[in-house]
Amino acid sequence: MDTNINFKNIWKQQTSNKPNLEELLGKLKKFRNQNLRRLILANITLIITSLLIIYIWYRFQPQMITTKIGIVLVILAMVMFLFAYNKMFMVFYKIDQTQSNNEYLQSLYVVKSKQKLMQTTILNLYFIMLFLGICFYMYEYTSRMTVGAAILTYTVTFAWIAFNWFYLRPKTIKKQQGKIDELINKFEEINNQLKES
C-alpha cells in the first residue's frame, strides 16, 4: 500500500470524523514560522553579544589570563550553540504546504530529534562553558573587591545561572516538546485514518 498519500487530494473524499486539516496545516505553519523567527533572533542576539564582548576585551584590556580565558570560553559557547542551532534552519525552512503526509511526519520527526540533541547535549555544554567563562572572567574584577562584595557578586551571578538552568530551561524544553508532540500526534492520527479509509 502506498503510504505517501497527498493530504489535499484525498482529504476532499473523506466525509466523516475528520480533523480540520486546514487548521492543522495552519498550526504547522505557525510552528515553523515561530521557530524560524526564534532561530534568527538567537543569531542576532548572540552575534551582537559576542561582538560586544570582543569590544570590551579590546577597549578595557584585561590584565589577567583568567579574564581572557573566560572571554574565549563565553564566545566559544555562543559560537558552538549557534553552529548546532543553525543546522535546524533547513529543517524548518523545508516544511511547506506542498508536502505529503509522510513528508510532514518525517520533517517533524527530524525536528524532534534535533530539538532533543539541542535540549540535552548542546544546551548542557553551552551552560557549562558559559558558567566557567563567567567565573574566570569575573575573577580579575572580584579580586579587587572586598570579600563581602565579591561573595555577593558571585552569589547573584550563580543564582541567575541556577534560575536559568533549573527553572527556565526545563520549562522551555517542556513547552517545545509539547508543541512538537501535539503536531506529530495529529499528523499520525490523520495518516492512520487515511490508511484505513
Side-chain angles (χ1 to χ4, degrees):
M1 182 177 197
D2 182 17
T3 57
N4 200 17
I5 305 164
N6 188 292
F7 276 138
K8 291 189 176 87
N9 294 337
I10 201 162
W11 208 254
K12 294 171 188 169
Q13 300 167 11
Q14 187 100 331
T15 54
S16 62
N17 296 331
K18 61 181 179 183
N20 187 335
L21 179 62
E22 292 306 317
E23 183 182 325
L24 184 54
L25 290 175
K27 282 185 179 182
L28 181 65
K29 184 177 181 182
K30 183 179 176 185
F31 173 79
R32 171 191 180 261
N33 291 340
Q34 282 176 339
N35 279 283
L36 284 172
R37 276 194 302 273
R38 196 174 293 128
L39 198 146
I40 290 166
L41 184 62
N43 273 276
I44 292 168
T45 304
L46 291 181
I47 288 169
I48 289 172
T49 304
S50 295
L51 291 173
L52 185 62
I53 290 169
I54 291 168
Y55 172 75
I56 289 169
W57 185 354
Y58 172 77
R59 178 74 175 85
F60 296 103
Q61 294 292 316
Q63 302 302 308
M64 296 178 77
I65 189 72
T66 53
T67 311
K68 296 170 186 174
I69 290 170
I71 290 170
V72 169
L73 274 173
V74 168
I75 291 172
L76 280 176
M78 292 180 191
V79 168
M80 179 270 310
F81 180 82
L82 284 179
F83 180 76
Y85 196 26
N86 283 330
K87 288 186 175 183
M88 295 185 72
F89 179 80
M90 284 313 292
V91 178
F92 289 124
Y93 188 74
K94 285 179 183 175
I95 299 174
D96 62 32
Q97 300 288 325
T98 62
Q99 292 180 313
S100 69
N101 58 330
N102 276 347
E103 289 169 330
Y104 282 128
L105 276 171
Q106 290 310 311
S107 294
L108 291 172
Y109 290 144
V110 169
V111 167
K112 184 172 180 168
S113 170
K114 288 188 180 291
Q115 265 188 356
K116 187 171 176 116
L117 176 70
M118 284 297 298
Q119 292 164 348
T120 54
T121 309
I122 302 299
L123 208 52
N124 290 346
L125 193 56
Y126 173 73
F127 264 97
I128 290 167
M129 290 172 71
L130 201 61
F131 175 74
L132 290 173
I134 290 170
C135 288
F136 279 122
Y137 177 80
M138 288 172 51
Y139 178 73
E140 178 174 345
Y141 305 105
T142 55
S143 65
R144 298 173 189 163
M145 298 177 181
T146 62
V147 173
I151 289 171
L152 179 64
T153 302
Y154 272 106
T155 302
V156 169
T157 304
F158 292 163
W160 175 247
I161 291 170
F163 174 73
N164 279 279
W165 179 259
F166 294 110
Y167 179 74
L168 291 181
R169 184 183 67 95
K171 190 175 179 181
T172 303
I173 288 171
K174 187 176 179 183
K175 189 176 176 183
Q176 287 175 343
Q177 286 176 340
K179 286 181 180 179
I180 191 78
D181 286 343
E182 180 187 359
L183 284 169
I184 287 172
N185 290 339
K186 287 184 178 177
F187 275 105
E188 283 176 342
E189 181 186 334
I190 290 171
N191 198 23
N192 291 335
Q193 285 180 359
L194 291 173
K195 283 179 187 177
E196 290 167 6
S197 62

